[in-house]
Amino acid sequence: MKPPTLNQKRLVAGLWFVVFLFAVGNEYLAWGFFGDSAKLFRVAVMWAGVLALVRFVPKMAEEIDAENAAKRALEEAAERARDKSNDAAETDRLRRSIGMPLNSSREPAAQRSATADRRENAAPD
């Protein structure tokens, strides 16, 4: 038999919580479902939850950390796939779309002319 998955453990914890709320409500709101043993039922449900916490929480914490790490890795991979900062065609398209001149610093001829004529690159007086 396979061990339960993290989502199955979460489902069991949620069901336990619903039963625990019912047991507390039964005792404190005097619903009377269990007669004189309402307090005993609440204590039994509470101890079952405490024992389950002691037994399963450390492993669940590890599984949750692993799940979060996997999600972060997927998000980082997707961000790297979306990163267009080194894409020359995307940069030129973006510059055209916002009305900026094309980046001529990537072209060797433009680099030579920029270094040859210092007056064009000098700060204004």
Side-chain angles (χ1 to χ4, degrees), residues 27-91:
E27 181 184 352
Y28 289 113
L29 299 176
W31 291 339
F33 284 108
F34 299 104
D36 293 337
S37 60
K39 188 175 219 170
L40 178 65
F41 179 71
R42 180 185 53 88
V43 170
V45 171
M46 182 179 65
W47 276 107
V50 168
L51 292 175
L53 283 174
V54 170
R55 169 76 171 94
F56 294 111
V57 165
K59 181 66 176 166
M60 284 181 69
E62 291 174 8
E63 291 175 357
I64 290 170
D65 289 342
E67 183 181 48
N68 289 340
K71 284 181 184 177
R72 273 193 304 275
L74 284 174
E75 289 172 358
E76 289 171 1
E79 184 62 32
R80 281 193 301 275
R82 283 192 301 268
D83 185 17
K84 301 287 185 177
S85 61
N86 294 328
D87 188 3
E90 180 68 18
T91 302

